[in-house]
Amino acid sequence: MKKVELLAPAGNLEKLKMAVVYGADAVYLAGTKFGLRASAGNFTYEDLQEGVKFAHDRGKKVYITMNIFPHNEDIKGMPEFIKRVSSIGVDAIILSDPGVFSLVKETAPHMKIHLSTQANNTNWLSAKFWYENGIKRIVLARELSLKEIKEIRDKLPEDLELEIFIHGAMCISYSGRCLLSNYMAYRDSNRGLCAHPCRWKYYLMEEKRPGEYYPVMEDERGTFIFNSKDLCMIEHIPDIINSGVTSLKIEGRMKSSFYVATVVKAYREAIDAYYRDKDNYVFDKKWLEEVSKASHREYTTGFYKNKTTSEDQIYHTSSYIREYEFLGVVKDFDEETGIATIEQRNRMHVGDEIEVVNPVGDYFVQKIESMRNIDNEEITVAPHPQMTVYMPLKQKALKYAMLRKKSE
């Protein structure tokens, strides 16, 4: 059995590096145009060149998204963009529109093409059609069960790859094809500008009683009627792998570097543990604890085990659960002195109990005993974003290790 790919989001260059270092086999990202996350940091050509080199030097792949549903004006500049990303060496383009598909085939005939989940592929016959027209990978719709996925796999040529989402936010609309944002906020989600109205609070108003708002449910807090729980399949790694898919995808190009690294590391460990000893694999609860330390909503298994019900929605809030704070990233560690050079991300104080998370292996816990700033002055608090801090650590910290603490 060929080992399944772990595919991570990369909203910017730093997130790409964190994803790769913490165990992703591949990353997906967007340029400054043509992707469905226009509000993510995204990549200039210069950043993309650096990111592709960083990934390829470590044996990892980079896929670029062009999965908007383009209007006529969006076609302008596409051929030049395709040529440039092809020359940089991206490993595949992810798209959903037949016109963009034909443009990529014409402009970069050797480029591998992946069909986005936006194309709503829910059956083997549709997948076979795309395969026969040159698609190398299908990102299946989120609305499929594991049983359906296995049947699709069994009916397709072995060299057609299948990709599924395993973790992250779920969309209220069918495979993300949503018009609600465009209608309510004049922001087209199908062109990368979703305002996320599915996360808003809604009330009921009777036409002859303007200004009188009634909760849709008998709840004084109102209701978030479209607000889905987050997908989390870390407890079901054997079932996912045995469905025959090629790639396991984590959602989250808008999420933080801390989120990307934390979630990728947990899934990396779970996947590797399964392949080491399939017959005796046992789920380790620490993996679920780890993904829960990144910001998240309550978790669901989506459609994979059964059809979704009211239990897969969150009606009382659209807020994230944030139990841990991301404090900083280790840029260097002097093994002789035990001093780490840290780029601060959130305020930290002398006396804070922190967890130091290396890209590989277990985290360790200690208190911050002292800190110095870039001028070698002793400080009791690191208050400035991305300031350089020197701090003694009790154990070795690798480059890109993260510091975190439990929220107060």
Side-chain angles (χ1 to χ4, degrees):
M1 183 188 294
K2 185 179 179 182
K3 198 169 187 178
V4 73
E5 175 187 83
L6 180 59
L7 177 58
N12 58 31
L13 184 57
E14 180 188 77
K15 294 172 189 177
L16 179 150
K17 291 180 178 180
M18 295 294 273
V20 168
V21 168
Y22 277 80
D25 297 306
V27 296
Y28 64 101
L29 51 85
T32 54
K33 295 181 179 179
F34 313 126
L36 277 178
R37 292 295 181 271
S39 299
N42 294 324
F43 285 72
T44 63
Y45 289 118
E46 292 73 24
D47 282 347
L48 186 57
Q49 285 179 304
E50 183 178 344
V52 169
K53 185 177 187 309
F54 186 91
H56 286 180
D57 285 350
R58 291 157 180 80
K60 313 299 183 180
K61 294 181 178 180
V62 177
Y63 310 140
I64 193 160
T65 62
M66 292 184 65
N67 56 343
I68 63 168
F69 292 113
H71 291 233
N72 291 335
E73 64 193 56
D74 296 314
I75 303 297
K76 298 173 185 176
M78 272 191 181
E80 292 77 14
F81 180 82
I82 294 165
K83 288 176 185 176
R84 291 199 68 174
V85 300
S86 179
S87 68
I88 288 170
V90 298
D91 297 280
I93 290 176
I94 305 168
L95 52 79
S96 56
D97 181 77
V100 179
F101 172 61
S102 64
L103 196 59
V104 172
K105 288 191 73 175
E106 178 185 333
T107 309
H110 301 296
M111 176 65 69
K112 288 186 177 178
I113 302 174
H114 296 176
L115 189 70
S116 171
T117 190
Q118 299 296 116
N120 309 125
N121 203 298
T122 57
N123 65 79
W124 65 269
L125 198 57
S126 175
K128 185 170 179 285
F129 165 83
W130 284 109
Y131 170 77
E132 290 172 348
N133 281 277
I135 290 289
K136 300 300 182 184
R137 178 183 293 190
I138 305 284
V139 189
L140 293 172
R142 285 179 171 92
E143 293 76 21
L144 294 171
S145 68
L146 288 173
K147 181 180 178 182
E148 289 175 300
I149 291 168
K150 192 172 189 314
E151 183 179 357
I152 290 172
R153 174 73 280 169
D154 290 343
K155 291 180 179 291
L156 293 174
E158 289 184 9
D159 60 334
L160 174 60
E161 299 178 350
L162 299 179
E163 177 180 305
I164 60 171
F165 283 89
I166 56 165
H167 194 93
M170 296 281 282
C171 183
I172 193 66
S173 186
Y174 204 90
S175 289
R177 296 185 75 159
C178 184
L179 301 176
L180 195 60
S181 175
N182 207 351
Y183 179 77
M184 300 187 74
Y186 305 104
R187 289 171 52 180
D188 192 345
S189 58
N190 296 315
R191 296 166 83 185
L193 295 170
C194 186
H196 303 287
C198 55
R199 308 296 179 186
W200 298 350
K201 182 185 287 189
Y202 290 88
Y203 291 91
L204 179 68
M205 186 177 72
E206 198 272 326
E207 68 171 329
K208 294 182 179 179
R209 293 176 175 82
E212 294 185 32
Y213 300 100
Y214 302 93
V216 178
M217 297 177 66
E218 290 296 324
D219 187 329
E220 70 279 1
R221 293 169 294 188
T223 183
F224 296 82
I225 55 176
F226 301 129
N227 189 43
S228 174
K229 293 181 179 179
D230 281 358
L231 180 66
C232 178
M233 292 297 289
I234 200 162
E235 296 179 84
H236 307 280
I237 294 298
D239 291 340
I240 291 171
I241 293 175
N242 289 326
S243 71
V245 295
T246 307
S247 182
L248 309 183
K249 189 173 195 171
I250 297 167
E251 183 275 338
R253 275 185 287 156
M254 303 287 289
K255 302 290 181 66
S256 68
S257 298
F258 174 61
Y259 170 93
V260 172
T262 302
V263 174
V264 166
K265 185 173 189 286
Y267 277 94
R268 176 80 278 151
E269 291 179 359
I271 291 167
D272 289 351
Y274 175 75
Y275 280 103
R276 275 196 302 272
D277 191 352
K278 298 184 183 75
D279 294 333
N280 299 299
Y281 173 83
V282 177
F283 175 73
D284 191 331
K285 290 182 180 179
K286 76 175 183 181
W287 300 324
L288 181 58
E289 292 170 0
E290 281 298 300
V291 297
S292 298
K293 289 180 179 180
S295 64
H296 66 285
R297 300 178 184 91
E298 295 173 40
Y299 285 136
T300 174
T301 56
F303 292 82
Y304 286 128
K305 293 292 184 178
N306 46 256
K307 297 293 184 183
T308 56
T309 68
S310 59
E311 295 301 312
D312 295 284
Q313 301 294 110
I314 308 170
Y315 299 103
H316 61 280
T317 181
S318 61
S319 298
Y320 285 98
I321 300 168
R322 292 184 173 93
E323 296 180 344
Y324 276 76
E325 296 176 41
F326 179 28
L327 299 179
V329 179
V330 174
K331 295 298 183 180
D332 189 33
F333 181 77
D334 188 322
E335 293 192 49
E336 290 187 12
T337 64
I339 301 295
T341 304
I342 296 161
E343 186 177 272
Q344 182 260 34
R345 294 306 166 85
N346 280 294
R347 183 183 291 257
M348 50 186 166
H349 301 78
V350 170
D352 285 346
E353 184 171 88
I354 62 171
E355 296 175 2
V356 181
V357 185
N358 276 312
V360 178
D362 292 332
Y363 66 84
F364 62 91
V365 181
Q366 71 164 73
K367 284 192 175 181
I368 299 178
E369 296 177 346
S370 64
M371 293 187 290
R372 290 185 176 273
N373 62 20
I374 199 166
D375 297 318
N376 203 34
E377 299 167 332
E378 195 159 327
I379 56 176
T380 59
V381 59
H384 305 302
Q386 294 189 296
M387 68 182 289
T388 298
V389 177
Y390 302 98
M391 179 190 304
L393 297 179
K394 292 185 176 180
Q395 296 182 37
K396 181 179 179 180
L398 301 174
K399 188 176 182 181
Y400 299 107
M402 298 183 297
L403 276 60
R404 68 189 181 197
K405 72 171 183 178
K406 194 168 180 60
S407 299
E408 296 177 0

